[in-house]
Amino acid sequence: MLTKVIEQNKIDHFAKWLNHAEKIVIVSHISPDGDAIGSSLGLKHFLETQDKSVSIIVPNAFPDFLKWMPGSKEIFLYDRHRDIANKLLAGADLICCLDFNALNRIEAMKGALQASPARKILVDHHLHPEAFCQIIISHPEISSTSELVFRLICRLGHFDEITKEGAECIYTGMMTDTGGFTYNSNNREIYFIISELLSKGIDKDAIYRNVYNTYSESRLRLMGHVLTQMKVYPEHHAAMISLTKKEQGQFNYIRGDSEGFVNIPLSIKGVIFTCFLREDTERPMIKISLRSVGTFPCNKVAAEVFNGGGHLNASGGEFYGTMEEAKQLFEKALEKYKPLLTAKG
Ligand code: 5GP
Ligand code: MN
């Protein structure tokens, strides 16, 4: 049995909205990850069983390793289909915002979302949600938005309407936001939910292979290169990896090729904090990814040093400047946070 995580009044409110909504749009964040796509598709598959007309819009492309997901081909990318997307947003009865807590996380879509007269609901697990929706279902203690979508559907009384396809999408989001259930995944209810999803006929082993074992040769070689260049800071229990545009060119880099790299240095004994700096291919900036294990708050570093944010153990930000400057900033942060990084326990 599952704990009733989502407040009853919000379930009732949303159920009422659903009764009256025909055209529903689901929106998720820039550079969508497995949870963004998984939660969006999981909700779409369910809503379609309720005879709703449902569209998903995300700001830009998502990685190839998510393209096997049922329904992923119908997702609109705002940067390619702006006119259609604007019409869908303006004409929606209901907009469901999934897996983001702030309007700037949807970048160019922000204006069209705000301007739409549709009712809006947020379902998310990031800290400190902005108040841009009338119903806000925000649970940072839950490890993925996909899990929240499962809980929402169940609380609406529709577990039976979750299809195998919907279950595959929800499982994918839960799996990717916990690194294959290796972090943020000690809540035993997660495993109850997995059991329920398995009852829908999903093949979780195949899903794992679809997502994680789809490397191209050049991606694996890029990983080898990045790790060879890695800098380790034993005294700070930290490590840093980076990827310049030049290196991306050398290894035929395509979007998504460096997904997950940031986690690898955490497998070094003693390392509890890692940073990955990647020169963006489209914008003149460096994308920062931070990860930690235990209580070290990498979101604090992201907010303070890289104008970003995120979760305690997974955060990110942006830096406008050179790679060298970004590295120096990170090293300065390591010095500042040394007491926390080396604290026992
Ligand atoms: P990733 O390293 O996978 O890009 O991001 C990990 C997490 O950090 C995301 O789920 C998100 O919560 C947060 N994050 C990443 N980039 C940014 C950013 O530029 N700004 C903010 N506020 N959060 C970010
Ligand atoms: Mn998420």
Side-chain angles (χ1 to χ4, degrees):
M1 276 299 284
L2 289 178
T3 312
K4 288 188 171 175
V5 167
I6 304 170
E7 302 86 333
Q8 189 61 46
N9 64 322
K10 294 181 182 175
I11 300 281
D12 296 340
H13 198 167
F14 185 53
K16 240 187 238 161
W17 280 7
L18 273 187
N19 277 336
H20 302 291
E22 279 174 26
K23 287 177 281 177
I24 301 178
V25 172
I26 298 170
V27 167
S28 196
H29 60 77
I30 185 97
S31 302
D33 57 7
D35 191 30
I37 299 298
S39 58
S40 298
L41 285 169
L43 184 61
K44 179 175 196 270
H45 285 294
F46 159 66
L47 291 171
E48 285 176 346
T49 68
Q50 307 299 298
D51 299 322
K52 310 293 182 191
S53 159
V54 188
S55 315
I56 298 174
I57 311 171
V58 293
N60 61 352
F62 52 92
D64 280 349
F65 62 78
L66 299 174
K67 291 191 176 154
W68 61 272
M69 292 171 76
S72 65
K73 288 183 185 57
E74 288 117 64
I75 295 176
F76 291 101
L77 308 181
Y78 194 75
D79 60 0
R80 287 188 211 162
H81 301 284
R82 186 180 284 242
D83 290 345
I84 304 173
N86 281 341
K87 274 194 195 121
L88 287 167
L89 285 165
D93 302 314
L94 172 59
I95 299 177
C96 305
C97 300
L98 302 188
D99 202 38
F100 64 98
N101 59 349
L103 279 174
N104 65 13
R105 297 282 294 145
I106 56 169
E107 300 207 344
M109 290 169 66
K110 179 176 164 175
L113 182 96
Q114 279 179 305
S116 171
R119 290 169 162 158
K120 291 165 202 155
I121 178 172
L122 175 73
V123 183
D124 180 46
H125 69 139
H126 295 87
L127 290 167
H128 314 307
E130 285 177 1
F132 56 91
C133 295
Q134 295 96 324
I135 302 178
I136 297 178
I137 296 178
S138 168
H139 289 276
E141 78 281 13
I142 297 296
S143 64
S144 63
T145 300
S146 298
E147 179 181 334
L148 279 172
V149 164
F150 178 89
R151 289 174 179 274
L152 176 62
I153 297 170
C154 290
R155 290 285 298 289
L156 289 166
H158 289 296
F159 171 76
D160 288 345
E161 276 71 56
I162 297 179
T163 59
K164 180 184 174 197
E165 289 73 24
E168 286 172 338
C169 298
I170 290 170
Y171 182 80
T172 303
M174 291 176 62
M175 180 184 79
T176 53
D177 253 25
T178 57
F181 306 103
T182 60
Y183 49 79
N184 272 342
S185 50
N186 281 332
N187 181 349
R188 67 192 181 99
E189 293 193 359
I190 289 175
Y191 304 91
F192 175 78
I193 295 173
I194 294 173
S195 166
E196 295 287 81
L197 295 172
L198 286 166
S199 79
K200 301 287 180 178
I202 69 168
D203 181 344
K204 68 181 253 317
D205 302 351
I207 291 175
Y208 185 94
R209 287 194 301 276
N210 282 343
V211 171
Y212 293 116
N213 295 355
T214 57
Y215 282 17
S216 62
E217 180 185 335
S218 57
R219 182 179 174 191
L220 205 61
R221 291 194 190 282
L222 174 72
M223 184 188 282
H225 172 79
V226 163
L227 293 178
T228 307
Q229 313 293 317
M230 171 179 62
K231 199 157 171 195
V232 181
Y233 307 85
E235 287 180 4
H236 300 81
H237 299 173
M240 174 181 70
I241 54 176
S242 62
L243 183 59
T244 61
K245 262 200 235 182
K246 192 171 161 215
E247 290 167 317
Q248 293 171 31
Q250 286 164 356
F251 289 89
N252 307 318
Y253 177 90
I254 55 167
R255 183 196 288 276
D257 269 359
S258 56
E259 183 84 20
F261 282 12
V262 62
N263 295 298
I264 304 174
L266 291 174
S267 59
I268 300 171
K269 190 171 178 183
V271 169
I272 61 159
F273 180 41
T274 68
C275 174
F276 177 41
L277 308 117
R278 176 178 55 80
E279 267 187 292
D280 198 90
T281 43
E282 286 152 28
R283 292 175 292 172
M285 64 108 171
I286 293 173
K287 181 71 206 163
I288 319 288
S289 284
L290 300 172
R291 296 290 185 273
S292 66
V293 284
T295 54
F296 184 74
C298 70
N299 51 355
K300 244 180 110 175
V301 181
E304 210 179 285
V305 184
F306 296 115
N307 196 26
H311 312 273
L312 184 79
N313 294 133
S315 63
E318 297 177 352
F319 178 71
Y320 290 81
T322 67
M323 183 62 95
E324 260 332 292
E325 288 164 348
K327 286 182 176 175
Q328 278 167 17
L329 266 181
F330 175 69
E331 289 180 349
K332 235 169 102 182
L334 282 186
E335 245 348 281
K336 177 172 174 196
Y337 281 88
K338 193 171 178 183
L340 259 187
L341 285 165
T342 53
K344 293 266 177 299

